[in-house]
Amino acid sequence: MVNEKSDVLKKILETAIVQENKSKKFYLKMRDQIQNEDARKRLKLMADSEQEHEEIVTSWYEEAYGKTFDPESTTSHENRLDVQKLDDNAALIDVVRLIAKAENKAYQFYKNAAFTAKTPEEKKLFETLASAEQMHADQSLTELDMLAGEEFFFSDEEIPWEI
């Protein structure tokens, strides 16, 4: 499948596998720690999506290099998610904001990987993954707008009891 099995491509694929695995585990861990059912469902959906991405990249790696790569075997801290701790009563908007940030980082990673790709096949794979991550980020930003975008209009005269 891959004609040029460069060290750069191997490192990109290994990093992608590790980060997709971490993302999946992160979303599941967050889901287990919060009570908001809508947020829990959203995090499960994201974990499932990250699992899909991990399987795609793992399959490509195995086909390209003829061996498996265990994401647990590395201690790489490259491209770590920079996220805050949510409390167990986190609102859906907090979770969606976190997802948007993480997915945007994933998009940037795959966009950069596509830029460094040596073959059209590599470029297409990374662009496809970048597109999927961008879609998740955009979807989350749209959700944020919907969750935070409620505006209320009133005049001072309408406020009861002159608060």
Side-chain angles (χ1 to χ4, degrees), residues 107-161:
Y107 162 73
Q108 291 297 328
F109 173 82
Y110 286 122
K111 182 178 169 189
N112 291 340
F115 182 73
T116 63
K118 302 234 186 282
T119 68
E121 191 172 40
E122 291 172 16
K123 185 175 180 76
K124 183 178 179 186
L125 172 72
F126 293 131
E127 285 176 343
T128 300
L129 289 166
S131 178
E133 301 292 3
Q134 183 64 56
M135 182 184 71
H136 294 154
D138 289 347
Q139 178 185 11
S140 296
L141 291 174
T142 300
E143 282 182 78
L144 277 176
D145 287 344
M146 289 176 9
L147 292 168
E150 294 185 40
E151 296 181 85
F152 301 97
F153 300 97
F154 56 88
S155 67
D156 288 341
E157 296 84 35
E158 294 174 292
I159 301 173
W161 301 98

Side-chain angles (χ1 to χ4, degrees), residues 6-155:
S6 69
D7 288 339
V8 172
L9 175 62
K10 187 176 181 184
K11 175 131 175 76
I12 289 170
L13 291 173
E14 288 174 353
T15 301
I17 293 167
V18 167
Q19 293 305 313
E20 295 293 354
N21 182 272
K22 279 184 175 181
S23 295
K24 172 188 67 184
K25 287 180 178 180
F26 176 77
Y27 289 141
L28 290 173
K29 183 176 182 178
M30 292 304 299
R31 187 195 82 195
D32 292 343
Q33 294 179 42
I34 61 174
Q35 296 173 8
N36 181 299
E37 195 55 40
D38 289 332
R40 289 174 56 80
K41 288 177 186 174
R42 182 72 164 91
L43 287 164
K44 175 66 168 107
L45 184 70
M46 292 307 302
D48 291 346
S49 179
E50 301 307 326
Q51 176 66 40
E52 256 182 60
H53 297 168
E54 181 183 354
E55 289 170 3
I56 290 168
V57 178
T58 298
S59 173
W60 208 54
Y61 182 93
E62 289 172 356
E63 191 172 321
Y65 297 98
K67 62 181 180 177
T68 59
F69 175 76
D70 177 15
E72 305 296 328
S73 67
T74 184
T75 57
S76 172
H77 296 290
E78 196 172 309
N79 299 306
R80 292 180 68 182
L81 295 176
D82 177 26
V83 294
Q84 72 279 2
K85 179 186 180 303
L86 297 180
D87 63 43
D88 64 346
N89 292 313
L92 179 59
I93 193 169
D94 299 320
V95 170
V96 173
R97 187 176 291 117
L98 182 141
I99 290 170
K101 187 175 182 180
E103 294 301 308
N104 189 55
K105 285 186 176 233
Y107 162 73
Q108 291 297 328
F109 173 82
Y110 286 122
K111 182 178 169 189
N112 291 340
F115 182 73
T116 63
K118 302 234 186 282
T119 68
E121 191 172 40
E122 291 172 16
K123 185 175 180 76
K124 183 178 179 186
L125 172 72
F126 293 131
E127 285 176 343
T128 300
L129 289 166
S131 178
E133 301 292 3
Q134 183 64 56
M135 182 184 71
H136 294 154
D138 289 347
Q139 178 185 11
S140 296
L141 291 174
T142 300
E143 282 182 78
L144 277 176
D145 287 344
M146 289 176 9
L147 292 168
E150 294 185 40
E151 296 181 85
F152 301 97
F153 300 97
F154 56 88
S155 67

